[in-house]
Structure formats: structure tokens, C-alpha cells
Amino acid sequence: MADDARSYAMRLLGQRSYTTRDLERKLISKEFERDSIDKTIARLIETGLLNDSRFAVSFARAKLHGSASSRRIRQLLARKGIAQQMAQAAIEQAIEEEGIDTSATLEKVARKKFASYGSLEPLVVRRRLTGFLARRGYDLDEIRTVIAKVTAARK
């Protein structure tokens, strides 16, 4: 049965990366024996095929190139079973390696969304843009600053 769990885990890892917790959940949902699951996960960690730290850096890198804030990425990683310290270290590593300017990313995201609002009332635009950015995990102070900068051109 351990071979079945290992084979299934290898098939999953061949398709995409998983955290230890997510892979464990997948194996549990397939109703493999607990002992078989533990041995499979231990072996995958030992061989380096399952690495939460590497997953966290890769995940953070992808999300930082999108529209997610550091706070939002930490939340998403926590859902995947990544400890807060590991998540923060992964985000910092991704920012450093990729040379990402988070404030420039925030402004780019805000400008793109702002352009989609057309000729709505300024108050409506501010409210919608604030909600949009808040849902992506940005701080209210950051949001206020970027909205002031982005909307200044329209006045």
C-alpha cells in the first residue's frame, strides 16, 4: 500500500508543486493508510521532492508579479500550511531575487483598475478602488496614498 501512496504522490508532484500539508490532505482523501502516508511524505521530504520552503518562494514570486500584497500572500501561504516565519522569509527572498518594487506594483495595479472605471463619480471611484485594493491585502495607508496619486491626474 505504501507503493500506491508513493505512486499517487509522485503523479501529483509531476503535475505541480504541493506543500506538505496539501499533499497529505490529498493522500488522506484517497484513503491511504496513515502509516503509508507518513512514510511517503517523509521519503519525499528526504529526497527533496517535497519542500515547503521552495514552494513558498515560488508561490510568493508568482503572486508578487500579480496584484497580491505581501499580507495577502502570507494569508494564502498560511492556508497551505506554511508557517508565518517561513512565509515572510519566502516573500522577502522573492522580492530581493526578483528586484520587485512593491509600491510600484501597487501603483500599476491601481492605475489599471482606475482606468476601467471610466467616468464614474470620483467618490464612487475612490470607494471601489479602495475595496479592490483592500481585498488584495494592501494597507489602508498605502491605499490612500496610491489613490491620491492615481486620481490626481483626473482632477
Side-chain angles (χ1 to χ4, degrees):
M1 195 68 156
D3 288 333
D4 291 342
R6 187 174 22 252
S7 296
Y8 181 68
M10 292 298 289
R11 259 196 330 273
L12 290 174
L13 289 171
Q15 295 169 0
R16 70 174 183 88
S17 296
Y18 283 85
T19 62
T20 302
R21 187 165 99 185
D22 283 347
L23 185 60
E24 181 179 24
R25 285 179 178 171
K26 286 286 221 179
L27 293 172
I28 289 170
S29 74
K30 282 293 190 177
E31 298 181 358
F32 289 109
E33 294 175 14
R34 184 76 233 179
D35 185 49
S36 178
I37 293 170
D38 292 342
K39 286 179 182 177
T40 297
I41 288 178
R43 180 73 178 131
L44 291 170
I45 290 171
E46 181 183 308
T47 60
L49 293 172
L50 190 60
N51 185 321
D52 284 352
S53 179
R54 187 175 59 225
F55 176 91
V57 171
S58 175
F59 185 88
R61 187 175 288 126
K63 293 296 181 184
L64 283 166
H65 282 294
S67 64
S69 68
S70 297
R71 180 190 309 164
R72 181 71 178 139
I73 295 168
R74 278 193 306 276
Q75 291 170 344
L76 293 171
L77 285 170
R79 285 185 191 165
K80 293 184 169 295
I82 303 294
Q84 288 293 336
Q85 298 87 348
M86 185 183 290
Q88 186 60 41
I91 292 165
E92 290 170 3
Q93 181 180 341
I95 288 171
E96 183 180 321
E97 287 177 357
E98 296 291 316
I100 296 170
D101 180 358
T102 55
S103 60
T105 301
L106 169 59
E107 186 174 339
K108 178 182 154 194
V109 169
R111 285 190 187 283
K112 182 177 179 182
K113 191 64 175 177
F114 178 73
S116 73
Y117 291 136
S119 60
L120 290 173
E121 293 287 323
L123 187 59
V124 173
V125 170
R126 292 178 79 81
R127 189 180 69 237
R128 288 186 183 182
L129 193 52
T130 298
F132 174 79
L133 295 172
R135 285 187 297 278
R136 275 146 189 78
Y138 291 102
D139 291 329
L140 196 52
D141 291 337
E142 292 175 312
I143 292 171
R144 285 184 183 134
T145 303
V146 79
I147 286 177
K149 188 185 282 187
V150 168
T151 59
R154 192 184 269 189
K155 292 179 181 176

